[in-house]
Amino acid sequence: MKKNIIAAALGFSLIALPAAQAEDAKVHRYAANHLAWSTNSYWVEGPDGVALIDAQLVPSDAKMLAAQIKATGKPLKGVIITHPHLDHFGGLPTLKDELGDFPVYASQVTADNFTSVHKQILGYYPMPNAFGEALDERLGSVTDIISDGQELSITGLMFKIHLLGAGEAADNAVIYQKDLNVVFAGDTYYPHTHYYVGEGHLDGAIGHLTFLKNTYPADTFVLPGHNDVSRLTSADEQIAYIETVQKLTEEAMTKPENLGENGYLTQAARRGVVDSLLEKYRSYDDFGFNPRQLVAGNVFGAEKEILTKKKGM
């Protein structure tokens, strides 16, 4: 029997899946190093072309990704961007330099956030040392808007789109490829990692994980935006992590002495919650990000969500 292969493009483990309808399809993975947040891109090699999920952050990674796609001898037929974070769309201009023109698919919310996110990251991180090289100051663009429930055909393969709304980012798409029985989860899925919720949509992130585990069988392979391929069995662990961030933050915010004039935690109080989370989850990965900064961002996101709920009462 032919096999469909999920290949770790940097020479790591291979996972063989029994072939279904798309017998010639192969899924490859390109993983950036820790300086670029260990971001994953996946490309599905069909019989006459390649479909790419997410486009990397820094130009050097985008160039190496393009070289590996070129090595197939097949054209890039389209790129799907899962969400509006620069580590997933910053490499688009370099990919076009290397591979020529191709359609770029994303949700309307993701497309609308490209410019502001690009500007924010360029302004926040010192260049070039933050990522080992300068980011591309050029901005890629979305050519085709995708919708929830859409079945998108690229290179003869069908991708089922689910737009889940705000969670880890302002909008998050997951993409199911039935023939391979894989879910390209973007940043909705962070196995054994500090799940990023710094934008204040913790309930949304829990909803995304709940959707995944309720929609697909537990043995479905999940291809996350960071770290290794996993199965859906770790969804409950990730939900528990987010709920713990919510619980510890809420407990701290019930004490008046922990609050500043704006209702958010004081720096000292926030530091205490961060210390508790780092201790409880000391074996968790941080995909190359500073763990204290990452967890502090998560606590701030929980504070923001709690205060937003109070204002809405």
Side-chain angles (χ1 to χ4, degrees):
M1 180 188 296
K2 292 183 180 179
K3 300 286 184 181
N4 294 315
I5 303 296
I6 296 179
L10 299 186
F12 300 122
S13 61
L14 301 178
I15 301 173
L17 301 175
Q21 296 176 16
E23 292 201 350
D24 294 324
K26 297 177 182 178
V27 184
H28 306 263
R29 170 191 173 200
Y30 180 87
N33 68 22
H34 64 288
L35 292 177
W37 300 338
S38 306
T39 304
N40 292 324
S41 294
Y42 302 96
W43 72 98
V44 185
E45 183 183 347
D48 62 353
V50 171
L52 176 64
I53 313 296
D54 287 332
Q56 288 295 314
L57 172 63
V58 298
S60 62
D61 282 319
K63 284 182 180 179
M64 286 189 282
L65 171 60
Q68 292 174 358
I69 292 173
K70 281 182 183 178
T72 68
K74 299 172 183 178
L76 179 58
K77 293 291 188 74
V79 179
I80 305 173
I81 303 299
T82 58
H83 63 286
H85 282 165
L86 195 62
D87 50 326
H88 296 266
F89 68 84
L92 283 171
T94 300
L95 289 175
K96 292 208 170 190
D97 291 343
E98 300 294 318
L99 299 172
D101 201 22
F102 48 79
V104 178
Y105 302 92
S107 73
Q108 186 66 63
V109 174
T110 291
D112 290 345
N113 275 272
F114 265 31
T115 299
S116 61
V117 169
H118 183 250
K119 182 179 180 180
Q120 178 189 31
I121 297 298
L122 286 177
Y124 184 79
Y125 288 97
M127 298 296 157
N129 294 327
F131 304 105
E133 64 183 275
L135 297 178
D136 199 328
E137 294 189 7
R138 298 173 298 167
L139 177 63
S141 61
V142 175
T143 62
D144 295 81
I145 299 299
I146 53 177
S147 57
D148 183 43
Q150 179 178 347
E151 293 192 343
L152 178 63
S153 178
I154 304 176
T155 191
L157 299 170
M158 198 65 69
F159 297 87
K160 180 67 176 286
I161 307 295
H162 295 285
L163 302 182
L164 303 184
E168 191 268 356
D171 196 22
N172 296 83
V174 298
I175 302 142
Y176 181 61
Q177 213 298 311
K178 180 180 178 181
D179 298 323
L180 299 170
N181 189 33
V182 296
V183 175
F184 300 97
D187 285 3
T188 66
Y189 205 79
Y190 281 108
H192 316 299
T193 303
H194 290 287
Y195 193 115
Y196 175 67
V197 285
E199 296 185 16
H201 307 294
L202 287 77
D203 285 346
I206 291 170
H208 298 173
L209 290 161
T210 302
F211 171 85
L212 287 169
K213 74 173 195 171
N214 289 345
T215 302
Y216 303 109
D219 65 345
T220 302
F221 283 98
V222 183
L223 281 60
H226 303 268
N227 294 342
D228 292 331
V229 175
S230 182
R231 291 188 189 266
L232 277 172
T233 49
S234 69
D236 286 332
E237 174 188 301
Q238 296 171 67
I239 290 171
Y241 172 86
I242 299 170
E243 289 177 338
T244 301
V245 174
Q246 289 177 315
K247 178 176 180 290
L248 293 181
T249 304
E250 191 164 18
E251 287 176 352
M253 293 179 74
T254 61
K255 300 176 181 179
E257 65 271 21
N258 285 342
L259 302 179
E261 292 182 2
N262 59 3
Y264 284 84
L265 291 173
T266 64
Q267 289 188 4
R270 185 178 299 129
R271 191 180 307 116
V273 178
V274 171
D275 288 343
S276 295
L277 288 165
L278 288 173
E279 174 61 25
K280 183 176 179 64
Y281 297 101
R282 57 185 178 274
S283 65
Y284 267 36
D285 193 17
D286 50 46
F287 53 89
F289 208 85
N290 179 298
R292 179 165 290 277
Q293 186 178 357
L294 174 60
V295 176
N298 284 346
V299 175
F300 179 82
E303 296 169 48
K304 180 179 178 181
E305 184 176 67
I306 290 166
L307 290 174
T308 299
K309 288 179 180 178
K310 286 183 178 179
K311 289 178 182 178
M313 288 180 177

